Amino acid sequence: MSHPIFAVEPQGSVQKNASIHLLPCRIHHDGNVEPVDAYWNPNEGQDKTRTAYLRGRKLHGKAVKLPEGYYGSVVEKSKPKKPEKTQEEMVEDVELQDDHDEQPEVGVMQGKATFDELMVWGHESLVDSNEDPYLRGVEEWISFAEKIHSYPSGKPEGN
């Protein structure tokens, strides 16, 4: 059995700088909420921190800038599709008849927006990266990506 393949395809109307807010709650709604100002109106305070109220709860937010060269993507899942084959691949498949039933499904994610900064919100205090699992996860993934995509310095470590 083959594993699914995922592809991210940008749309023509991708918003370049989306405003991303990581809230300390779950909202069981994924539709439009117009007008947003009636529900969400953060105020900027000292040190570029923000304060907002959501359903009577005071939230404190701080901006987290992604490192240079990194950006986030907002994607939306669309229906899986079978990969399109070229004439050459079709001829090869006819010759290799034992694999004709194992077509991998390609799940497509449509790019909706990108961002280079996100606002992380906490209850009653600013979020600490040691305590917040999402912020810690972002930092760990960036650190991991830098390690696997870097070249060794040529000097043995520990000597």
Side-chain angles (χ1 to χ4, degrees), residues 93-106:
D93 275 353
V94 170
E95 293 171 3
L96 303 170
Q97 298 224 344
D98 54 65
D99 286 341
H100 74 281
D101 290 335
E102 301 252 348
Q103 293 280 333
E105 280 190 353
V106 177

Side-chain angles (χ1 to χ4, degrees), residues 20-159:
I20 304 298
H21 295 270
L22 188 56
L23 298 170
C25 61
R26 290 182 190 247
I27 299 173
H28 298 284
H29 180 73
D30 61 357
N32 208 355
V33 289
E34 295 296 334
V36 174
D37 293 340
Y39 304 102
W40 187 249
N41 191 14
N43 299 317
E44 189 161 343
Q46 300 169 350
D47 302 329
K48 295 190 177 184
T49 61
R50 292 191 181 175
T51 304
Y53 291 89
L54 183 67
R55 300 196 65 168
R57 300 282 310 259
K58 187 174 185 180
L59 303 175
H60 294 275
K62 74 174 182 178
V64 176
K65 187 104 172 121
L66 297 179
E68 186 70 33
Y70 288 87
Y71 68 91
S73 293
V74 178
V75 296
E76 184 177 66
K77 186 177 178 181
S78 53
K79 294 187 183 220
K81 64 179 182 180
K82 295 274 186 183
E84 297 176 15
K85 292 188 172 190
T86 63
Q87 188 68 24
E88 250 178 46
E89 290 172 327
M90 288 177 152
V91 170
E92 288 176 12
D93 275 353
V94 170
E95 293 171 3
L96 303 170
Q97 298 224 344
D98 54 65
D99 286 341
H100 74 281
D101 290 335
E102 301 252 348
Q103 293 280 333
E105 280 190 353
V106 177
V108 178
M109 302 288 224
Q110 295 291 328
K112 297 293 184 180
T114 61
F115 60 93
D116 59 357
E117 178 180 85
L118 56 120
M119 183 64 67
V120 182
W121 296 90
H123 288 289
E124 304 298 327
S125 65
L126 288 174
V127 173
D128 180 20
S129 63
N130 293 328
E131 295 176 11
D132 186 71
Y134 298 106
L135 187 54
R136 189 174 60 231
V138 168
E139 292 173 351
E140 287 175 358
W141 272 107
I142 290 171
S143 173
F144 179 69
E146 288 174 352
K147 289 195 187 314
I148 65 170
H149 293 292
S150 65
Y151 295 101
S153 63
K155 295 180 184 179
E157 290 184 25
N159 290 333

